[in-house]
Amino acid sequence: MPTKAVQAAINDQIAMELESAHVYLSMAAYFDENNLPGFSHWMRMQYQEELGHAMKLFDFMLDNGGHIVLKALAKPPSQFKGALAVLKETLKHEQKVTGAITQLYALTVPEKDYPAQILLQWFISEQTEEEKTVADIIAQMKMVGDSGSGLLLIDQHLAGRAAAAQQA
Ligand code: FEO
């Protein structure tokens, strides 16, 4: 069973993943409202992924005798300043999540919590992937432009995002 400190940190991380889902759902709504269905689709997929991350931690806790404590979620932003600004905010958010996962992993090392470390290694790889994916979109947007036909091109590209497998 994870120590009390690790359990508390995992419960915090579950809240962070659910908050991430909330932020991305709000961004999806913004894109729908602004006639960018591809961006909205991408954010809806991201929302689903974050729910998956939260549930992965949730199930790990329950499978290992931990106690789940759900928390109130912060209100996500509902005003955004354009598609590029949203993607930049997404990257910043993911970098914050990466920092939290890294801290959580560091906490499990002196505790010798090997099962948690195995789970968190998946999250560390996932964060690398998430940051890279968002950084690539930002780079492409900078190439083709954040308005007009360039923006529509990216929108069409993002419409093709498939749901990621949630296997560890
Ligand atoms: Fe679950 Fe995108 O971090």
Side-chain angles (χ1 to χ4, degrees):
M1 183 193 298
T3 62
K4 290 272 180 242
V6 172
Q7 288 190 42
I10 292 177
N11 277 318
D12 284 346
Q13 193 60 38
I14 290 171
M16 191 178 213
E17 302 292 344
L18 291 173
E19 275 185 5
S20 301
H22 240 69
V23 168
Y24 296 140
L25 189 59
S26 188
M27 288 173 171
Y30 167 78
F31 284 128
D32 263 321
E33 288 166 11
N34 287 277
N35 307 307
L36 290 167
F39 278 90
S40 177
H41 169 76
W42 192 93
M43 281 298 171
R44 286 166 189 245
M45 291 286 113
Q46 193 67 19
Y47 161 76
Q48 293 291 347
E49 281 210 3
E50 299 304 346
L51 291 182
H53 295 170
M55 291 313 294
K56 206 178 252 291
L57 292 160
F58 183 92
D59 286 337
F60 173 84
M61 283 278 271
L62 295 174
D63 289 350
N64 288 279
H67 177 56
I68 293 287
V69 181
L70 294 178
K71 295 163 196 287
L73 303 182
K75 182 176 178 291
S78 58
Q79 304 286 342
F80 302 97
K81 293 186 175 138
L84 183 58
V86 171
L87 269 293
K88 283 182 175 172
E89 220 168 295
T90 301
L91 181 58
K92 228 162 87 182
H93 186 83
E94 286 304 324
Q95 288 165 340
K96 198 170 97 186
V97 174
T98 301
I101 293 285
T102 306
Q103 276 184 9
L104 178 49
Y105 188 92
L107 182 64
T108 66
V109 174
E111 311 277 3
K112 293 187 167 53
D113 189 338
Y114 302 119
Q117 286 172 27
I118 291 166
L119 174 76
L120 291 170
Q121 279 163 12
W122 180 89
F123 275 88
I124 289 167
S125 302
E126 175 73 0
Q127 283 310 119
T128 303
E129 182 63 33
E130 293 221 326
E131 284 191 34
K132 182 189 172 347
T133 304
V134 180
D136 285 351
I137 297 169
I138 291 171
Q140 287 169 356
M141 289 180 79
K142 285 181 176 168
M143 267 184 253
V144 300
D146 184 23
S147 63
S149 53
L151 187 60
L152 284 180
L153 191 70
I154 301 284
D155 191 61
Q156 282 167 9
H157 172 62
L158 295 182
R161 178 180 180 176
Q166 289 290 338
Q167 306 299 315

Coordinates of all heavy atoms in Angstrom, one line a residue, residues 13 16-18 20-21 24 46 49-54 57 90 93-95 97-98 101 122-123 126-127 130-131, ligand 1:
Q13 N -2.7 14.5 -7.6 CA -2.5 14.4 -9.0 C -3.8 14.0 -9.8 O -4.0 14.4 -10.9 CB -1.4 13.3 -9.3 CG -0.9 13.3 -10.7 CD -0.3 14.6 -11.2 OE1 0.4 15.2 -10.4 NE2 -0.5 15.0 -12.4
M16 N -5.4 17.1 -10.3 CA -4.8 17.9 -11.4 C -5.2 17.4 -12.8 O -5.4 18.1 -13.7 CB -3.2 17.9 -11.2 CG -2.5 18.8 -12.1 SD -0.7 18.8 -11.9 CE -0.3 20.5 -12.2
E17 N -5.3 16.1 -12.9 CA -5.7 15.5 -14.2 C -7.1 15.8 -14.5 O -7.4 16.1 -15.7 CB -5.5 13.9 -14.2 CG -4.1 13.5 -13.9 CD -3.0 13.8 -15.0 OE1 -3.4 14.1 -16.1 OE2 -1.8 13.7 -14.7
L18 N -8.0 15.8 -13.5 CA -9.4 16.2 -13.8 C -9.5 17.7 -14.1 O -10.3 18.0 -15.0 CB -10.2 15.8 -12.5 CG -10.4 14.3 -12.3 CD1 -11.1 14.1 -10.9 CD2 -11.2 13.6 -13.4
S20 N -7.2 19.3 -15.6 CA -6.7 19.4 -17.0 C -7.8 19.1 -17.9 O -8.0 19.8 -19.0 CB -5.5 18.4 -17.2 OG -4.5 18.7 -16.3
A21 N -8.6 18.1 -17.6 CA -9.7 17.7 -18.5 C -10.7 18.9 -18.6 O -11.1 19.2 -19.7 CB -10.4 16.5 -17.9
Y24 N -9.3 21.6 -20.9 CA -9.4 21.3 -22.3 C -10.8 21.2 -22.8 O -11.0 21.5 -24.0 CB -8.6 19.9 -22.6 CG -7.1 20.1 -22.2 CD1 -6.4 19.0 -21.6 CD2 -6.4 21.2 -22.6 CE1 -5.1 19.2 -21.3 CE2 -5.1 21.4 -22.2 CZ -4.4 20.4 -21.6 OH -3.1 20.5 -21.3
Q46 N -8.2 15.4 -26.2 CA -7.3 15.7 -25.0 C -8.1 15.6 -23.7 O -7.6 15.1 -22.7 CB -6.8 17.1 -25.2 CG -5.6 17.5 -24.4 CD -4.3 16.7 -24.7 OE1 -4.2 16.1 -25.8 NE2 -3.4 16.6 -23.7
E49 N -8.4 12.0 -22.9 CA -7.1 11.5 -22.4 C -6.8 11.8 -20.9 O -6.4 11.0 -20.2 CB -5.9 12.0 -23.2 CG -5.8 11.3 -24.6 CD -4.3 11.3 -25.1 OE1 -3.4 11.8 -24.4 OE2 -4.2 10.8 -26.2
E50 N -7.2 13.1 -20.6 CA -7.0 13.5 -19.2 C -7.9 12.7 -18.2 O -7.4 12.4 -17.1 CB -7.2 15.0 -19.0 CG -6.3 15.9 -19.9 CD -4.8 15.6 -19.6 OE1 -4.4 15.0 -18.7 OE2 -4.0 16.1 -20.5
L51 N -9.1 12.5 -18.7 CA -9.9 11.6 -17.8 C -9.3 10.2 -17.7 O -9.3 9.7 -16.6 CB -11.3 11.5 -18.5 CG -12.2 12.7 -18.5 CD1 -13.6 12.3 -19.2 CD2 -12.4 13.3 -17.2
G52 N -8.7 9.7 -18.7 CA -8.0 8.4 -18.7 C -6.9 8.5 -17.7 O -6.7 7.5 -17.0
H53 N -6.1 9.6 -17.7 CA -5.0 9.7 -16.8 C -5.5 9.7 -15.3 O -4.9 9.0 -14.5 CB -4.2 11.0 -17.0 CG -3.6 11.1 -18.4 ND1 -3.0 12.3 -18.8 CD2 -3.4 10.2 -19.3 CE1 -2.5 12.0 -20.0 NE2 -2.7 10.8 -20.4
A54 N -6.5 10.4 -15.1 CA -7.1 10.5 -13.7 C -7.5 9.1 -13.3 O -7.3 8.6 -12.2 CB -8.3 11.4 -13.7
L57 N -4.7 6.6 -12.3 CA -4.2 6.9 -10.9 C -5.3 6.4 -9.9 O -5.0 5.8 -8.9 CB -4.0 8.4 -10.7 CG -2.8 8.9 -11.5 CD1 -2.8 10.4 -11.6 CD2 -1.4 8.5 -10.9
T90 N -1.9 25.6 -23.5 CA -1.9 24.1 -23.4 C -0.5 23.6 -23.1 O -0.3 22.8 -22.2 CB -2.4 23.5 -24.7 OG1 -3.7 24.0 -24.9 CG2 -2.4 22.0 -24.6
H93 N 0.5 24.5 -19.6 CA -0.3 23.6 -18.7 C 0.4 22.2 -18.6 O 0.6 21.7 -17.5 CB -1.7 23.5 -19.1 CG -2.5 22.7 -18.1 ND1 -3.1 23.3 -17.0 CD2 -2.9 21.4 -18.1 CE1 -3.7 22.4 -16.3 NE2 -3.6 21.3 -16.9
E94 N 0.8 21.7 -19.8 CA 1.4 20.4 -19.8 C 2.7 20.4 -19.1 O 3.1 19.4 -18.4 CB 1.5 19.8 -21.2 CG 0.2 19.4 -21.8 CD -0.5 18.3 -21.0 OE1 0.2 17.5 -20.4 OE2 -1.7 18.4 -20.9
Q95 N 3.5 21.5 -19.2 CA 4.8 21.6 -18.5 C 4.6 21.6 -17.0 O 5.4 21.0 -16.3 CB 5.5 22.9 -19.0 CG 6.0 22.7 -20.4 CD 6.4 24.0 -21.1 OE1 6.0 25.1 -20.6 NE2 7.3 24.0 -22.1
V97 N 2.1 20.1 -15.5 CA 1.7 18.7 -15.1 C 3.0 17.8 -15.1 O 3.2 17.0 -14.2 CB 0.7 18.1 -16.2 CG1 0.5 16.6 -15.9 CG2 -0.6 18.8 -16.1
T98 N 3.9 18.0 -16.1 CA 5.2 17.3 -16.1 C 5.9 17.5 -14.8 O 6.5 16.6 -14.2 CB 6.0 17.7 -17.3 OG1 5.3 17.5 -18.5 CG2 7.3 16.9 -17.3
I101 N 4.3 15.5 -12.0 CA 4.5 14.1 -12.1 C 6.0 13.8 -11.6 O 6.2 12.8 -10.9 CB 4.3 13.6 -13.6 CG1 2.9 13.7 -14.0 CG2 4.9 12.2 -13.8 CD1 2.0 12.7 -13.4
W122 N 5.2 5.4 -16.8 CA 4.3 5.6 -17.9 C 3.9 7.0 -18.1 O 3.9 7.6 -19.2 CB 3.0 4.7 -17.7 CG 2.1 4.8 -18.9 CD1 2.0 4.0 -20.0 CD2 1.0 5.8 -19.0 NE1 1.0 4.5 -20.8 CE2 0.4 5.5 -20.3 CE3 0.5 6.8 -18.2 CZ2 -0.7 6.3 -20.7 CZ3 -0.5 7.6 -18.7 CH2 -1.1 7.3 -19.9
F123 N 3.6 7.7 -17.0 CA 3.2 9.1 -17.0 C 4.3 10.0 -17.5 O 4.1 10.9 -18.2 CB 2.7 9.5 -15.6 CG 1.3 9.2 -15.4 CD1 0.9 8.0 -14.8 CD2 0.3 10.1 -15.7 CE1 -0.5 7.7 -14.6 CE2 -1.1 9.8 -15.5 CZ -1.4 8.6 -14.9
E126 N 4.4 9.6 -21.1 CA 3.2 10.3 -21.7 C 3.4 11.8 -21.7 O 3.0 12.5 -22.7 CB 2.0 9.9 -20.8 CG 0.7 10.6 -21.2 CD 0.1 10.0 -22.5 OE1 0.7 9.2 -23.1 OE2 -1.0 10.6 -22.8
Q127 N 4.0 12.4 -20.7 CA 4.2 13.8 -20.6 C 5.2 14.3 -21.7 O 5.0 15.3 -22.3 CB 4.7 14.3 -19.3 CG 3.6 14.3 -18.2 CD 2.4 15.1 -18.6 OE1 1.3 14.5 -18.7 NE2 2.5 16.3 -19.0
E130 N 3.1 14.3 -24.8 CA 2.1 15.4 -24.8 C 2.8 16.7 -25.1 O 2.3 17.5 -25.9 CB 1.4 15.4 -23.5 CG 0.5 14.2 -23.3 CD -0.8 14.5 -22.7 OE1 -0.9 15.5 -21.9 OE2 -1.8 13.8 -23.0
E131 N 3.9 17.0 -24.5 CA 4.6 18.3 -24.7 C 5.1 18.4 -26.1 O 4.9 19.4 -26.7 CB 5.8 18.4 -23.7 CG 5.3 18.8 -22.3 CD 6.5 19.2 -21.4 OE1 7.4 19.8 -22.0 OE2 6.5 18.9 -20.2
Ligands
FEO1 FE1 -2.5 14.2 -18.0 FE2 -1.9 16.1 -20.2 O1 -1.4 15.5 -18.5

